[in-house]
Amino acid sequence: MLNIILLGPPGAGKGKQAARLQAERGMIQLSTGDMLREAVAAGTPVGRKAKAVMERGELVSDAIVSALIGERLDASADKGAIFDGCPRTKHQAAALEILLAQRGRRLDHVIELVVDEDELVRRIVGRFTCAKCGAPYHDHFRLPAVPGVCDVCGSTEFKRRPDDNEETVRTRMAEYRAKTAPILPYCEDKGLVRRVDGMASVDEVAGQIDAILDGKA
Ligand code: ADP
């Protein structure tokens, strides 16, 4: 049972790979971004605090994030966890280690998706999803076959994340560089960091991650 962190800037493909690992290996995806978006949509006290911070592209407080992770961690006890979008600060990294250790668990790998930031901005700013089934689309790379109609479910409603505009994306990148990237040397000292080429195709990235998890790379 493996516990892994996927680390990389916004839009690097962490969510996509985490969802695949959950589907293929039965591991549990723990995405703080998804948890926070759910809290915002449900209008919970956490959601009300987080909403404006997220819309600016800044980081939500470590205390909120650590509490969210703590609540969900036990569900992944026998299956292993994929932390996607967390930890995002050194403080969160230390808190996560403690939460795991308290449960007799440990981190096995920190997988860094290495990417080109300008390309990422293009990827993120164009992305949107079907409002009904969540199928992913992109203004440049993947439009529905029939304009305005979802290929998968036929819905004509689509949505974009409110933080996927260029200005907010630049702030998210800056937050990553200033606060999240410094986690890497800390994990490197523990011998946990593995790098994959995040600019490769989704299948190639998947192959590189699988090789690490299977001890073949
Ligand atoms: P992305 O990686 O594409 O930026 P996420 O869905 O992981 O998207 O996060 C969206 C937003 O949610 C972040 O910009 C931040 O405001 C907030 N957020 C998510 N996870 C964390 C975290 N671990 N710590 C602080 N803020 C977070």
Side-chain angles (χ1 to χ4, degrees):
M1 186 262 298
L2 297 173
N3 300 300
I4 66 167
I5 294 175
L6 296 182
L7 203 71
K14 304 180 296 285
K16 193 168 221 155
Q17 294 296 336
R20 178 191 68 86
L21 290 170
Q22 172 161 297
E24 290 178 6
R25 295 182 179 239
M27 298 169 75
I28 303 292
Q29 174 183 12
L30 291 164
S31 160
T32 44
D34 288 347
M35 292 175 203
L36 288 165
R37 276 186 289 279
E38 279 165 28
V40 170
T44 65
V46 163
R48 286 202 297 274
K49 275 193 202 153
K51 187 169 187 283
V53 179
M54 293 172 74
E55 282 174 1
R56 288 196 301 271
E58 295 167 10
L59 294 187
V60 171
S61 80
D62 288 336
I64 288 185
V65 169
S66 299
L68 283 176
I69 286 284
E71 279 167 24
R72 307 277 186 110
L73 199 52
D74 290 332
S76 64
D78 329 313
K79 299 176 172 156
I82 312 142
F83 298 99
D84 146 25
C86 168
R88 256 186 165 82
T89 62
K90 278 197 207 165
H91 183 274
Q92 289 179 22
L96 179 60
E97 274 190 310
I98 293 170
L99 285 169
L100 287 170
Q102 284 167 342
R103 292 160 173 79
R105 297 165 65 178
R106 68 184 167 83
L107 269 178
D108 295 283
H109 303 291
V110 176
I111 301 181
E112 181 189 2
L113 280 80
V114 181
V115 289
D116 175 270
E117 278 194 23
D118 288 327
E119 176 60 26
L120 286 192
V121 174
R122 288 212 312 144
R123 273 197 202 170
I124 300 178
V125 172
R127 71 187 179 183
F128 62 100
T129 54
C130 170
K132 195 165 165 215
C133 74
Y137 295 98
H138 195 282
D139 293 328
H140 303 299
F141 310 127
R142 189 173 172 206
L143 283 166
V146 178
V149 182
C150 175
D151 296 343
V152 179
C153 75
S155 165
T156 52
E157 282 183 40
F158 297 88
K159 60 179 183 184
R160 285 175 197 265
R161 274 173 45 176
D163 58 352
D164 276 353
N165 60 79
E166 178 142 7
E167 191 192 343
T168 307
V169 171
R170 294 279 176 202
T171 305
R172 284 156 60 199
M173 294 290 176
E175 288 280 76
Y176 177 79
R177 257 182 269 124
K179 297 180 185 161
T180 308
I183 297 174
L184 282 163
Y186 168 85
C187 297
E188 214 141 10
D189 289 345
K190 298 174 188 280
L192 293 174
V193 180
R194 307 297 307 268
R195 293 199 165 75
V196 306
D197 174 11
M199 301 315 287
S201 71
V202 174
D203 287 346
E204 279 163 10
V205 176
Q208 292 183 36
I209 293 175
D210 284 341
I212 294 168
L213 299 194
D214 295 335
K216 293 181 183 150

